[in-house]
Amino acid sequence: MAAIKVLDLTRVRAGPACVRQFADWGADVIKIESPEYMEVSDGWGGLRDGPDFQNLHRNKRSLAINLKDPEGIAIFYKLVAEADVVVENFRPDVKFRLGIDYETLAEINPRIVYASISGFGQDGPYAKRPGFDHIVQGMGGLMSLNGDASHGPMRAGFAVADVGAGMYCAIAIMTALLERQTSGRGQWVQVSLLQTMVSMLDFQAARWLFLQEIPQQPGNDHPTSIPTGVYPTSDGYITIAAGEQAMFRRLCASLQRMDLMEHPDFCSESLRSENRVALNTILSAITRTRTRAEWIALFEKDSVAAGPINSIDEVFADPQVQHLGIAQPLHHPRLGDVEVVGQPFILNRTPSQMRTVAPDRGAHNHDILSDIGYSPEQITALKEKGVL
């Protein structure tokens, strides 16, 4: 992706998660920020050296310009003329006020792929609402499905709508770039957190669309495939996925409880789903008799789908996680040696690379402006006038 230039106007999480996909594969990503004196944060306050910011903004260059200043906009337009992609996640009206909307930029560069991420879409009755992951998890149905009914609606423990929107937006940009190879023209890509959340419901959403079934909160159980859930051991918890007949048979054999396979309440997938409480009570009494490690070793030998419930430190200590190399090292000039979360997919010829830590604000002003024809004297003058 070294030939791709991305102008990153995004803030907080969804947009940066999108742009990170390009930065990690070598695209020239220029993070457009406001100058320090404007006191406009990236949504992180003073946490620029914190793990979240560093994880989201590695492999980028930073240009700090005032987009409310005509000379700042002129700089941005020069960058657009040479860019392939612009990504923004302002509220829908902001881009038009600044003069950086798709139609304006397409006049400068008809090949530009312009991506907008919003809470609820670029138009419609909710377009002007502020969109946050927590709000969209509720509005998009996830909180009605997550957790146990006795505790009420439950949010997911990470920013699923934000990260999902970032991933969908990256896919949409790549699709537009592929289409551009045929048409020679860019286009406006639009992604919202609400669309993302509904789409990610997947089979749960399809149950309503096809059957008008309203899914309920299943707790740790799978909505339909039982036993698939969390079971206690003598020193922690494991998860088992054995709803399908052949897998349930292997589970019963491994537990030395083949009687469960023939039990009139558990002998079919539909009966196990209907009688899940009774079955889970029996299984939990059995799994409590051994340790996590003992059960996992036994189930692996017997080809039963199961795994431990790991805390985050256990996740990164897991030998398979270490083998996959998801924790990637970087050296930070102030923080020393650190690790960030790497990419979840592998390309055998062109792997992702962790090249640089997240840049300081405006760290690459001189280099970027020099690349588009500004002299050292002009850059100094722009700094003195507050454009940079």
Side-chain angles (χ1 to χ4, degrees), residues 215-227:
Q216 303 300 308
Q217 290 173 279
N220 284 320
D221 289 341
H222 187 277
T224 57
S225 181
I226 302 297

Side-chain angles (χ1 to χ4, degrees), residues 84-163:
D84 297 283
V85 179
V86 173
V87 188
E88 61 86 15
N89 60 349
F90 299 123
R91 289 196 193 183
D93 61 327
V94 171
K95 66 179 76 63
F96 297 99
R97 293 206 309 267
L98 292 174
I100 58 172
D101 56 281
Y102 170 67
E103 295 295 339
T104 299
L105 301 190
E107 289 290 325
I108 299 168
N109 180 357
R111 290 175 57 81
I112 201 74
V113 173
Y114 187 104
S116 296
I117 303 176
S118 62
F120 301 102
Q122 296 299 307
D123 47 34
Y126 301 160
K128 293 185 178 180
R129 291 188 185 183
F132 292 92
D133 178 90
H134 183 88
I135 304 301
V136 172
Q137 284 195 33
M139 292 180 66
L142 176 61
M143 290 173 66
S144 75
L145 305 174
N146 197 40
D148 187 284
S150 64
H151 295 94
M154 183 72 68
R155 68 181 294 273
F158 72 101
V160 59
D162 274 341
V163 176

Side-chain angles (χ1 to χ4, degrees), residues 284-324:
S284 295
I286 298 170
T287 57
R288 282 191 179 94
T289 62
R290 299 190 186 187
T291 66
R292 287 195 311 173
E294 289 173 327
W295 282 122
I296 297 305
L298 177 62
F299 291 152
E300 184 172 5
K301 178 179 70 70
D302 294 338
S303 296
V304 175
I309 305 296
N310 287 332
S311 58
I312 299 301
D313 58 324
E314 291 173 323
V315 169
F316 286 99
D318 185 277
Q320 185 65 29
V321 173
Q322 293 183 348
H323 172 78
L324 293 170

